[in-house]
Amino acid sequence: MAGPDPELAAKLQPDVPHAARIWNYWMGGKDNFQSDRAAGDAVAEVYPEIVLMAQQSRVFLVRAVRYLAAEAGIRQFLDIGTGLPSMQNTHAVAQGIAPDSRIVYVDNDPMVLVHARALLASTTSEGVTTYVPADYHDPEKILAEAAQTLDFSQPIAVMYMGVMGYEPDLDVVRSIVGRTMDAAPSGSHLVLWDGTNTSPAVVSGAERLAQSGGVPYILRSPEDLASCFDGLVMVEPGLVPIPLWRPDEADAVGIDAYGAVARKP
């Protein structure tokens, strides 16, 4: 991979805990700093299941993308707030099933953008993988940039994977999701999961994250998350704890994170 862009590298702020890097640490990655590890450990002290949640979030992504590519016939993916590259990223799963799949990743984190070149280099020769530097609060910019790669006359999978907790206003979350899905044609799908306020321990973990200097993460009820899917048709089994969404193993157990896949009629 080419060396990081000096301007982007200058924005990394290694002394300030950052959400993408903390998540990378919980997932067992190496793209994090001491400040991130300290914040991650502080959360894990009161909510050890956060590590399992991080791992299960990637398992959910793999299962959802696998379903969309193999069963729903989706060939276009708009992954908004993708985070740091890890194993089995969206393009790797989709293009492993359908090599001609087209994937647009969106993120505004400087460390994610530093790593973008390596991620883009792993795309198939038949498919397309690209990155849009943007904030999910600006869906119009995202849609305009994505339209250079994706065909908005054909179904698209729009993905928000564990990122909407960083927006404190649920109405804003619903507006962002609604504006992106309004632009997608019939047959498109929404994939969304987020942490939920379904146990005292996870609530304590979110409080500890904010106390440690991390960006506050708003835990919502499953009912609140369900409202983001208004007007869409849920794919079975609906909105459930992410380990229970079409699990590969019979002994899967729930955690404080709910997700779903839904189709636009």
Side-chain angles (χ1 to χ4, degrees), residues 4 11 13 16 46 58 85 98 100 108 147 157 159 173 211 223 243:
K11 298 178 181 178
Q13 296 183 291
V16 179
V46 297
R58 184 52 48 130
D100 60 338
N108 69 336
M159 304 169 61
V173 171
Q211 293 165 1
E223 292 75 19

Side-chain angles (χ1 to χ4, degrees), residues 97-108:
I97 295 169
D100 60 338
S101 296
R102 306 172 75 85
I103 291 85
V104 173
Y105 289 112
V106 180
D107 210 294
N108 69 336

Side-chain angles (χ1 to χ4, degrees), residues 80-81 136-137 158-170 172-178 180 190 192-195 216-220 225 228:
I80 302 175
Y136 64 52
H137 290 91
V158 179
M159 304 169 61
Y160 292 100
M161 309 299 280
V163 296
M164 286 305 188
Y166 298 110
E167 167 48 56
D169 190 328
L170 179 61
V172 172
V173 171
R174 287 193 290 238
S175 173
I176 292 169
V177 173
T180 51
L190 170 65
L192 184 149
W193 79 266
D194 251 309
Y217 189 93
I218 307 303
L219 298 169
R220 296 190 164 94
L225 293 185
C228 296

Side-chain angles (χ1 to χ4, degrees), residues 55-71:
Q55 296 167 349
Q56 285 295 319
S57 71
R58 184 52 48 130
V59 176
F60 174 65
L61 181 150
V62 171
R63 287 200 301 259
V65 172
R66 188 172 63 200
Y67 163 79
L68 291 166
E71 298 185 44

Side-chain angles (χ1 to χ4, degrees), residues 66-132:
R66 188 172 63 200
Y67 163 79
L68 291 166
E71 298 185 44
I74 299 295
R75 296 294 178 265
Q76 304 188 105
F77 296 81
L78 179 56
D79 188 340
I80 302 175
T82 181
L84 285 164
S86 180
M87 295 180 63
Q88 295 183 293
N89 297 292
T90 299
H91 75 284
V93 179
Q95 292 173 349
I97 295 169
D100 60 338
S101 296
R102 306 172 75 85
I103 291 85
V104 173
Y105 289 112
V106 180
D107 210 294
N108 69 336
D109 178 75
M111 193 160 182
V112 173
L113 299 177
V114 164
H115 285 263
R117 295 186 188 93
L119 189 147
L120 301 184
S122 63
T123 193
T124 61
S125 58
E126 303 96 325
V128 177
T129 306
T130 190
Y131 238 106
V132 172

